[in-house]
Amino acid sequence: MADPSPTLLETFENPYPNRSYTIDTVCPEFTSMCPKTGQPDFGTLTISYIPNQKCFELKSLKLYLQQYRNHGAFYERVTNQILDDLVSVTEPKWMKLEAAFTPRGGIRTTVIVEYPESDS
Amino acid sequence: MADPSPTLLETFENPYPNRSYTIDTVCPEFTSMCPKTGQPDFGTLTISYIPNQKCFELKSLKLYLQQYRNHGAFYERVTNQILDDLVSVTEPKWMKLEAAFTPRGGIRTTVIVEYPESDS
Amino acid sequence: MADPSPTLLETFENPYPNRSYTIDTVCPEFTSMCPKTGQPDFGTLTISYIPNQKCFELKSLKLYLQQYRNHGAFYERVTNQILDDLVSVTEPKWMKLEAAFTPRGGIRTTVIVEYPESDS
Amino acid sequence: MADPSPTLLETFENPYPNRSYTIDTVCPEFTSMCPKTGQPDFGTLTISYIPNQKCFELKSLKLYLQQYRNHGAFYERVTNQILDDLVSVTEPKWMKLEAAFTPRGGIRTTVIVEYPESDS
Amino acid sequence: MADPSPTLLETFENPYPNRSYTIDTVCPEFTSMCPKTGQPDFGTLTISYIPNQKCFELKSLKLYLQQYRNHGAFYERVTNQILDDLVSVTEPKWMKLEAAFTPRGGIRTTVIVEYPESDS
Amino acid sequence: MADPSPTLLETFENPYPNRSYTIDTVCPEFTSMCPKTGQPDFGTLTISYIPNQKCFELKSLKLYLQQYRNHGAFYERVTNQILDDLVSVTEPKWMKLEAAFTPRGGIRTTVIVEYPESDS
Amino acid sequence: MADPSPTLLETFENPYPNRSYTIDTVCPEFTSMCPKTGQPDFGTLTISYIPNQKCFELKSLKLYLQQYRNHGAFYERVTNQILDDLVSVTEPKWMKLEAAFTPRGGIRTTVIVEYPESDS
Amino acid sequence: MADPSPTLLETFENPYPNRSYTIDTVCPEFTSMCPKTGQPDFGTLTISYIPNQKCFELKSLKLYLQQYRNHGAFYERVTNQILDDLVSVTEPKWMKLEAAFTPRGGIRTTVIVEYPESDS
Amino acid sequence: MADPSPTLLETFENPYPNRSYTIDTVCPEFTSMCPKTGQPDFGTLTISYIPNQKCFELKSLKLYLQQYRNHGAFYERVTNQILDDLVSVTEPKWMKLEAAFTPRGGIRTTVIVEYPESDS
Amino acid sequence: MADPSPTLLETFENPYPNRSYTIDTVCPEFTSMCPKTGQPDFGTLTISYIPNQKCFELKSLKLYLQQYRNHGAFYERVTNQILDDLVSVTEPKWMKLEAAFTPRGGIRTTVIVEYPESDS
């Protein structure tokens, strides 16, 4: 199976490009495969961004994320890769992605990545 | 059907114009139509503002928002438009509008706009 | 019926006047009348303050607030008036009043006033 | 505007007609109009049923319920009418409909209808 | 002030008198006066009933209950009296009233009355 | 210190002796002493009863329960004793007492006693 | 891709076959494909059963359920089929399966099947 | 390490043997070892019983349960064994044990055993 | 009865004095007496501190707080006094005490004191 | 039994070392022994860090933490020691560890340590 690709992501023109405002999108149905165990992983992705000229289209976001359904991906790598893909396609003023995965072995992990990195 | 118009919005004189204070108003019964699918959208609007000389009247706010009931409107555009309308009518010191829409295709979106834009 | 008056409010001497500390008081049983519709309003008042030389006495606060039971009062005016009364009687270093009213017509409102006004 | 009609409701053949089992469907986005005030009402419909030969199709249920969006309907009548429509189209062994409406004037109402009526 | 009277309660004709069904109505804004202390009491009334020929009208219910606002009434007596009034006016097949009062002295009380009495 | 005694419990005449109805009273501020460790115990008492000719008065209930504040009492004994006292004073048709104590050593216990015993 | 098959399900000998007792197993990570839209579905399966001679092994249950990951299946059919498979392999005294799917188009559905069917 | 033994369980005389009443004890800190993987398991035990002549003493219960800390035990076996031990030592009129274990591989299991078995 | 005294408070040496770190301790079972009404008060104390050379020992904290069980104390005074005692015994870099008391007359109060006072 | 040692902790190479991002890991199944009473302690560890070149591997973290299962450890010491071990092995840009222990004697404690210490 081919690797997930950002080409599925579609954008539309930001209707209010002169105002900085925030869009939060929550996707509780993300699933991918653990490359080590071959078992499925499940998580909730929360994407927050301040759009510049482009906003991502929600249906294309869904199809883009579904590419990971049978794709092997470690938590840290997949979270960074999705942020990179969304940033490259929408070129936002700011974007943050939180990926909260369900527990495995009694332990649960959330990865939080931001573009550009905050100074604090 | 005519486009929603701010003329329905009524104001009353701020009874304490010399003090900067905050009014939060939550409207969990907002509904509009998706222009693409023709399906209804549902959301909760939270309006926070520091009034200047004028406060919006709650019953007129309800009637103003009901204009969107059969009106096609994308999330980003409608949220910005409602903020613009409320700002033009009340001329507040500060106003923020959060529009949290219910899930579609397993994905839910919240749009947050502010006037004037914060510096952070 | 006479207007509500701060004369019912009693104070006691702050037992630790040399330390700035905070007292939060929550009154979930506030009720007044809407001057326009004649219908009762209900709300929760949260008073936070840093006392100076005087603290308000809780039983007198209850009696003071009960004066509004059959008194017509708009949300914004009554919240500012109660803050003014509490400030005039206790002369605090700082005080904030949040008045969260129950929904009417599917819309609910919270008014937040502060003394002295914050700079932010 | 024409009255809501059950002709929009589509069914599919129950895949396990020999086993009595239960299907619960929750529709939190029901809205209609109050015939008296002309104001919109909002509610959550919960439909539980034991299918006989036919199950209702979910997308057609959504379209059927959207017919009430601009239709005047009192709580008690609309709840009974929807049950009647669903029963006439699916001819179930048993069906229950709970319609929980949002508060008006500080009062909220839920109507619960059942087919056939329980004996208790 | 005159005693609360059921004459304010209005009914409308049950639109489905041939089906036994249930109507639940929740009134979280009930308030009356304690005859002993003169202090206001607050509570949530939940009325459930199976209508016969008549349903109570919600706005008239609200006005009926507001008669208790400045009326002295003990928990047990007021709950039984409201049930009696609602039963006399609507003549239902069955009715239950739960009155859950807020805490006093760290103790809170709920009174539950039913018509006709259950056999269990 | 003298043992707790039911003589503090006062009753008033049941205003509706001809109707069987239920009164639930929740006391989240019960405290007694563990006879073994000398440490205080804390719990929430929930008293439900169908009164006969007499109801217990709430303020006297509070004073009655405060007798246990410095009194040594095991969970099982104190729960049964309080039920016995309340039954002897009010002679109810039915009464149940649930005493839910806070955790000790990571274990928490609730004792539930009933008068008369249920048949199930 | 081959159809899901119960051959992956493994059992172990019930260690207490002489006592009727209940085992509840909750699987919040079930996912399959909608045969109509090709979109993934997500749900929580709750399996309750009274074992006879055999209990299902949890790891094999997980692998069995993962067969549905890329398999097209309508809600009603897949729930009945999983119950049939679990019953055929474990031959329990009683088993119930609740499949609660996440919302689609603002509507969510739960299917509840039982073996043998209850009499009520 | 020796197998867990009921000899650690101590009882005290039921102070009210003539009344059937219920004692619920919740132990959220149970832990044992999985015999297959060698990994620790965690769970919450809820013990409900109607004592006869004897009640179990809580500190001895804690020590009894701690014997499982490094002991290999499958869910079904350990739950039945603990019920057997508690029944043999306290000889209750009725006892139920619910053991709710934390998730493993995204799946969580609760085992419910009862003495004597209910007829339903 | 003697006044509560900090002499019961024991400390142990901070095992990591070179690192500034925070210890939060929550005591939901605090009780004292109202000096005015003679009635018991109940509250939850939350102590947060950055230890210097000494940490307070938890069992001694419990015994120290139990001294207030039969001691008359107003909310503001007792909260400040406990902070002073804890500060004098542990000499921390920073300490905050929140005392949240349960409702009286429908009003609840929380007192928050800090050492040293924050500059904000 | 040997002391817990960081040698069990394994790391993998940070896949995005050029971006500062945060990983939160929650371990609700931590247990150790109280050195004073010999009784087990239970807690939830929350580890947040910004990785540098290395991330800790989750399975090795689980095995590392299990070393404390039968190891005596005071709250403050064990929290600091685990932070030191995790810092020494992963050399992060920043790390915070919150250890929230379950109540003992009605009192619960959380220890929060950070590397490097924050300036505030």
Side-chain angles (χ1 to χ4, degrees), chain A residues 29 31 39 66 69 102 104, chain G residues 29 31 39 66 69 102:
Chain A
E29 299 179 348
T31 181
Q39 293 294 306
Q66 287 175 7
R69 189 172 177 83
T102 59
R104 290 292 174 261
Chain G
E29 299 179 348
T31 181
Q39 293 295 306
Q66 287 175 5
R69 188 171 178 85
T102 58

Side-chain angles (χ1 to χ4, degrees), chain B residues 29 31-33 39-40 42 62-63 66 69-70 102 104, chain D residues 29 31-33 39-40 42 62-63 66 69-70 102 104:
Chain B
E29 299 179 348
T31 180
S32 57
M33 307 295 287
Q39 293 294 307
F42 292 84
K62 191 172 70 169
L63 297 175
Q66 288 175 5
R69 188 172 178 84
N70 296 308
T102 59
R104 288 295 172 259
Chain D
E29 299 179 348
T31 180
S32 57
M33 306 296 287
Q39 293 294 307
F42 292 85
K62 193 173 68 171
L63 296 175
Q66 287 174 5
R69 188 171 178 85
N70 295 309
T102 58
R104 288 293 172 264

Side-chain angles (χ1 to χ4, degrees), chain F residues 29-33 38-42 59 62-63 66 68-70 102-104, chain I residues 29-33 38-42 59 62-63 66 68-70 102-104:
Chain F
E29 299 179 348
F30 181 77
T31 180
S32 58
M33 306 296 286
Q39 294 293 306
D41 287 325
F42 292 84
K59 192 166 181 187
K62 193 173 70 170
L63 297 175
Q66 287 174 7
Y68 292 89
R69 188 172 179 84
N70 295 309
T102 58
R104 287 294 173 264
Chain I
E29 300 179 347
F30 181 77
T31 180
S32 57
M33 306 296 286
Q39 293 295 306
D41 287 325
F42 292 85
K59 191 165 182 187
K62 192 173 70 169
L63 297 175
Q66 287 175 4
Y68 292 88
R69 189 173 178 84
N70 295 309
T102 59
R104 288 294 174 263

Side-chain angles (χ1 to χ4, degrees), chain G residues 1-33:
Chain G
M1 176 175 285
D3 275 5
S5 147
T7 56
L8 284 186
L9 282 167
E10 292 175 17
T11 63
F12 61 91
E13 206 181 335
N14 178 359
Y16 276 70
N18 294 330
R19 173 182 285 153
S20 280
Y21 66 97
T22 304
I23 304 172
D24 291 347
T25 302
V26 182
C27 314
E29 299 179 348
F30 181 76
T31 181
S32 57
M33 306 295 287

Side-chain angles (χ1 to χ4, degrees), chain C residues 29 31 39 66 69 102, chain E residues 31 39 66 69 102 104:
Chain C
E29 300 179 347
T31 180
Q39 294 294 308
Q66 287 176 4
R69 187 171 179 84
T102 59
Chain E
T31 180
Q39 293 294 307
Q66 287 175 7
R69 188 172 179 84
T102 58
R104 288 293 172 265

Side-chain angles (χ1 to χ4, degrees), chain C residues 35-119:
Chain C
K36 205 150 120 187
T37 65
Q39 294 294 308
D41 286 325
F42 292 85
T44 293
L45 304 190
T46 302
I47 308 161
S48 301
Y49 71 114
I50 300 176
N52 204 325
Q53 299 300 322
K54 288 182 274 188
C55 301
F56 54 73
E57 196 274 332
L58 289 180
K59 192 165 182 187
S60 79
L61 174 69
K62 192 172 70 169
L63 297 175
Y64 164 74
L65 293 176
Q66 287 176 4
Q67 292 178 298
Y68 291 88
R69 187 171 179 84
N70 296 309
H71 181 75
F74 288 109
Y75 292 171
E76 289 81 4
R77 186 175 291 278
V78 73
T79 311
N80 276 288
Q81 180 182 340
I82 293 173
L83 181 74
D84 282 352
D85 283 355
L86 290 169
V87 164
S88 73
V89 168
T90 61
E91 298 173 332
K93 294 182 181 166
W94 169 83
M95 183 176 282
K96 188 171 76 163
L97 171 58
E98 279 199 38
F101 295 93
T102 59
R104 288 294 174 262
I107 292 180
R108 67 177 184 273
T109 288
T110 300
V111 181
I112 304 134
V113 296
E114 201 171 334
Y115 164 86
E117 298 177 26
S118 64
D119 294 334

